[in-house]
Amino acid sequence: GEDVEQSLFLSVREGDSSVINCTYTDSSSTYLYWYKQEPGAGLQLLTYIFSNMDMKQDQRLTVLLNKKDKHLSLRIADTQTGDSAIYFCAETLGNTGGFKTIFGAGTRLFVKA
Amino acid sequence: GAGVSQSPSNKVTEKGKDVELRCDPISGHTALYWYRQSLGQGLEFLIYFQGNSAPDKSGLPSDRFSAERTGGSVSTLTIQRTQQEDSAVYLCASSDRIGTNEKLFFGSGTQLSVL
């Protein structure tokens, strides 16, 4: 089925690293995404990775992709209280009608000062 | 406009009434999505448009839900005979697809409360 799976909660201390994990469904997905949602707001694209890459680094963010296991992770280094939000993993699925983007349930990250 | 605009931002209605939710995508974006986010739940795909056509309506929960898009721009999501379980935040997103890379830009959502 079409299911992107994530754990629902993660709690870390300020300054520690956070690792948010995701498993996706379609091995043919060419792009995988991480979105961030702050309270009362819509989602905002954080980063994405092309499927022929294993890793992408962007400042404090590191994305790791394991295509064999269909596993995606987002690591946030030196986590700050401002990183508290819901993080969504997403993939784009192809079908006869074109393709569409589906999301996981989101991981709520709590950062303790 | 500068971003995706949704209206109203909040809607309170009585059970059984019809509601219309509007989405103004970023100018020139060809793809438009509707998602639903219930309290404590993830993002539920409802429907997406490529131009004015909707290749995938599989996420619409029942025949009380419908959506249209005109002129390749504004979209309206209509819920008829609303039920309490329809209460949620309805999010719209638009995208300027480049190949298979789809970066979605989201509006702030419409909070629908059905009493």
Side-chain angles (χ1 to χ4, degrees):
Chain A
E2 298 177 354
D3 259 337
V4 178
E5 295 187 352
Q6 302 178 238
S7 53
L8 295 182
F9 297 100
L10 177 64
S11 179
V12 301
R13 290 186 183 280
E14 191 175 23
D16 288 351
S17 291
S18 308
V19 179
I20 302 171
N21 295 302
C22 165
T23 55
Y24 59 96
T25 58
D26 191 344
S27 57
S28 65
S29 291
T30 52
Y31 287 92
L32 295 137
Y33 309 84
W34 285 103
Y35 285 79
K36 177 182 180 182
Q37 185 181 32
E38 296 184 352
L43 279 69
Q44 186 174 19
L45 179 63
L46 204 54
T47 187
Y48 64 93
I49 187 167
F50 187 49
S51 59
N52 70 351
M53 298 169 65
D54 297 324
M55 184 180 86
K56 179 180 179 180
Q57 187 147 4
D58 183 1
Q59 300 183 325
R60 292 190 298 120
L61 305 179
T62 303
V63 179
L64 295 177
L65 175 61
N66 180 330
K67 282 194 72 174
K68 175 176 170 292
D69 295 335
K70 289 187 275 189
H71 183 266
L72 183 73
S73 68
L74 174 70
R75 178 176 180 270
I76 306 173
D78 187 24
T79 312
Q80 304 297 307
T81 54
D83 295 324
S84 293
I86 305 175
Y87 292 81
F88 291 89
C89 171
E91 64 171 332
T92 301
L93 299 180
N95 57 40
T96 54
F99 54 94
K100 68 183 182 186
T101 299
I102 64 168
F103 289 78
T107 300
R108 188 177 292 270
L109 175 64
F110 296 94
V111 182
K112 296 176 284 189
Chain B
V4 177
S5 176
Q6 291 187 246
S7 61
S9 54
N10 279 284
K11 176 72 177 177
V12 180
T13 190
E14 292 178 351
K15 179 181 169 181
K17 301 274 191 190
D18 297 353
V19 295
E20 279 191 357
L21 312 181
R22 177 187 166 105
C23 174
D24 251 297
I26 292 172
S27 178
H29 278 193
T30 56
L32 185 149
Y33 286 78
W34 285 99
Y35 294 92
R36 180 167 72 174
Q37 186 175 28
S38 304
L39 190 63
Q41 302 296 311
L43 245 59
E44 178 187 3
F45 167 81
L46 297 179
I47 186 171
Y48 89 92
F49 291 89
Q50 182 61 38
N52 289 336
S53 63
D56 192 333
K57 306 178 185 180
S58 63
L60 293 177
S62 73
D63 59 9
R64 296 187 294 105
F65 287 72
S66 63
E68 65 174 17
R69 189 179 185 194
T70 55
S73 181
V74 172
S75 176
T76 303
L77 176 69
T78 301
I79 309 173
Q80 295 178 308
R81 304 181 303 281
T82 52
Q83 303 295 310
Q84 288 182 331
E85 62 263 27
D86 299 334
S87 297
V89 176
Y90 290 82
L91 291 167
C92 173
S94 70
S95 156
D96 183 16
R97 287 176 173 170
I98 301 174
T100 55
N101 190 354
E102 176 143 80
K103 300 175 191 174
L104 296 181
F105 294 82
F106 280 82
S108 298
T110 294
Q111 172 76 63
L112 175 65
S113 301
V114 182
L115 304 179

